[in-house]
Amino acid sequence: MRIVVKTQSVPAIQLSFTTIITQPVNSLLPKPLSVYVLTFNSEKYLDILLSSIRSIADEIVIVDSGSQDQTRSIADRHGCHFVYRALDTFREQREFAMRTCQHQMVLMLDSDEIPDAEFVQHIIELKQTGFDCDAYQIKRNWFVMGQPVTCMYPVRSPDFTVRLVRQDRVTFISNECSLVHEKVIGYQTLGDIRGAVSHYTFESRQEMTRKLHAYSALAARDLVELGIRPGLVHVLFHPPIAWVKWYIVRGGWRDGRLGWTIGQYVWSSVFRKFSGARKLHRIAQTNTPSANRSPVAPLAP
């Protein structure tokens, strides 16, 4: 009797065994996540923020617009990838930060936003199970001068904003309703992250004034770049309309004396945006020969 050994079956058995072993192992590997943080003189909360996201971030990118405090040294201590880029618009700053990230899934945070433990735990779970959605929105609680507020122009508190995205599925836009702050578009599916992020903005009246000037200047410039020319009616009537909408309708009055202070910020911000845009248009018309001027669209009241 002859015994025949079919050696051809060995590679097949080996291939099947390898497939059985590697597929479950690969499926159990956590999905990588990049986190980027926009900074400018952000030493106050940056160390707390970076410590809170170490367990979820496979890469942390810091995009800084010229900090003069300890922001760089804090970032270096946490092993972050630190990149300088001068701020032109927040949309372009975020697009640059997104391109700098190595991984497909990206969490976007500001340097004064601190996630809670439930938020971090949910991200850990998503990394294990997989990110099923193109984008995820987060719950954000606003604090002004250390005090929780009912609303912070131009949003209510808490608000919900898209901050965790698959970067090949989204893009950023600026529009007439949100000229300074950008909007994420392009995603087909949207999920929610449990927990919340605390947003600590305006630690003092001085900081409020500084940001008022910076944000209103950016908004005025954006109006001009969009070819929009505000009329005098916008300068005179939009500030009180914005104040009534924010302070009365949305409930800013509930925040007491602080709410009144923020109401003054709202009025001044809208006034400076429209009056600044009118001033920039006058300067542009003075410096541009009439034959070379491009038509601009009046802004509807």
Side-chain angles (χ1 to χ4, degrees):
M1 177 183 297
R2 292 188 303 169
I3 299 176
V4 179
V5 178
K6 296 182 179 181
T7 58
Q8 293 87 345
S9 62
V10 174
I13 295 174
Q14 184 178 4
L15 176 61
S16 176
F17 180 76
T18 302
T19 303
I20 293 172
I21 294 298
T22 57
Q23 284 183 348
V25 171
N26 290 337
S27 65
L28 291 174
L29 291 175
K31 306 302 184 292
L33 176 69
S34 293
V35 181
Y36 78 68
V37 181
L38 304 183
T39 60
F40 177 73
N41 290 336
S42 302
E43 65 181 7
K44 180 161 188 175
Y45 294 108
L46 188 59
D47 187 63
I48 301 173
L49 166 60
L50 296 179
S51 297
S52 70
I53 62 175
R54 287 307 307 173
S55 61
I56 61 174
D58 299 280
E59 173 194 38
I60 301 178
V61 174
I62 303 292
V63 178
D64 187 78
S65 52
S67 295
Q68 300 298 315
D69 61 1
Q70 297 300 309
T71 296
R72 177 64 185 266
S73 62
I74 295 171
D76 290 343
R77 188 165 67 247
H78 285 270
C80 303
H81 178 199
F82 191 93
V83 184
Y84 167 78
R85 184 181 186 274
L87 177 65
D88 40 16
T89 68
F90 286 102
R91 175 181 60 81
E92 293 180 5
Q93 198 80 341
R94 290 201 180 278
E95 288 178 342
F96 172 82
M98 186 82 77
R99 293 193 302 268
T100 306
C101 293
Q102 297 181 3
H103 302 302
Q104 186 178 72
M105 296 302 300
V106 178
L107 174 63
M108 307 172 284
L109 292 172
D110 291 340
S111 60
D112 53 3
E113 295 176 339
I114 311 298
D116 63 18
E118 185 179 5
F119 180 97
V120 171
Q121 180 58 39
H122 193 194
I123 298 293
I124 292 174
E125 294 172 10
L126 287 173
K127 292 186 65 177
Q128 292 290 346
T129 60
F131 298 95
D132 295 329
C133 298
D134 297 338
Y136 295 83
Q137 63 181 0
I138 68 172
K139 177 183 177 181
R140 187 170 52 172
N141 297 314
W142 287 72
F143 294 78
V144 177
M145 300 181 194
Q147 176 181 324
V149 293
T150 304
C151 52
M152 178 59 213
Y153 180 75
V155 300
R156 298 179 187 271
S157 177
D159 70 329
F160 296 85
T161 181
V162 174
R163 285 297 188 85
L164 175 60
V165 299
R166 178 172 165 172
Q167 63 168 302
D168 62 342
R169 299 286 177 85
V170 302
T171 188
F172 298 96
I173 63 168
S174 296
N175 53 51
E176 186 177 330
C177 296
S178 182
L179 293 169
V180 175
H181 296 290
E182 66 299 324
K183 181 180 180 180
V184 180
I185 62 169
Y187 52 86
Q188 299 298 314
T189 53
L190 179 65
D192 295 291
I193 302 297
R194 297 194 307 268
V197 168
S198 296
H199 188 187
Y200 297 93
T201 184
F202 300 155
E203 292 296 325
S204 64
R205 288 178 178 269
Q206 291 75 17
E207 183 182 2
M208 181 181 288
T209 300
R210 178 177 60 81
K211 288 187 176 181
L212 165 66
H213 293 170
Y215 291 165
S216 59
L218 284 172
R221 193 185 70 188
D222 284 341
L223 281 174
V224 173
E225 291 179 353
L226 289 171
I228 298 172
R229 183 180 59 211
L232 186 60
V233 65
H234 299 93
V235 177
L236 295 178
F237 293 104
H238 275 236
I241 291 173
W243 182 87
V244 169
K245 180 180 179 181
W246 177 86
Y247 189 76
I248 303 298
V249 177
R250 293 193 173 181
W253 57 270
R254 294 190 180 94
D255 297 323
R257 182 177 298 179
L258 178 60
W260 180 258
T261 299
I262 300 174
Q264 294 175 313
Y265 168 86
V266 173
W267 187 301
S268 298
S269 178
V270 177
F271 175 81
R272 292 178 67 91
K273 177 178 71 173
F274 288 119
S275 62
R278 284 174 58 83
K279 181 178 180 180
L280 290 174
H281 272 297
R282 288 196 299 268
I283 293 173
Q285 290 176 345
T286 301
N287 296 336
T288 304
S290 58
N292 297 329
R293 290 177 188 166
S294 299
V296 293
L299 183 62

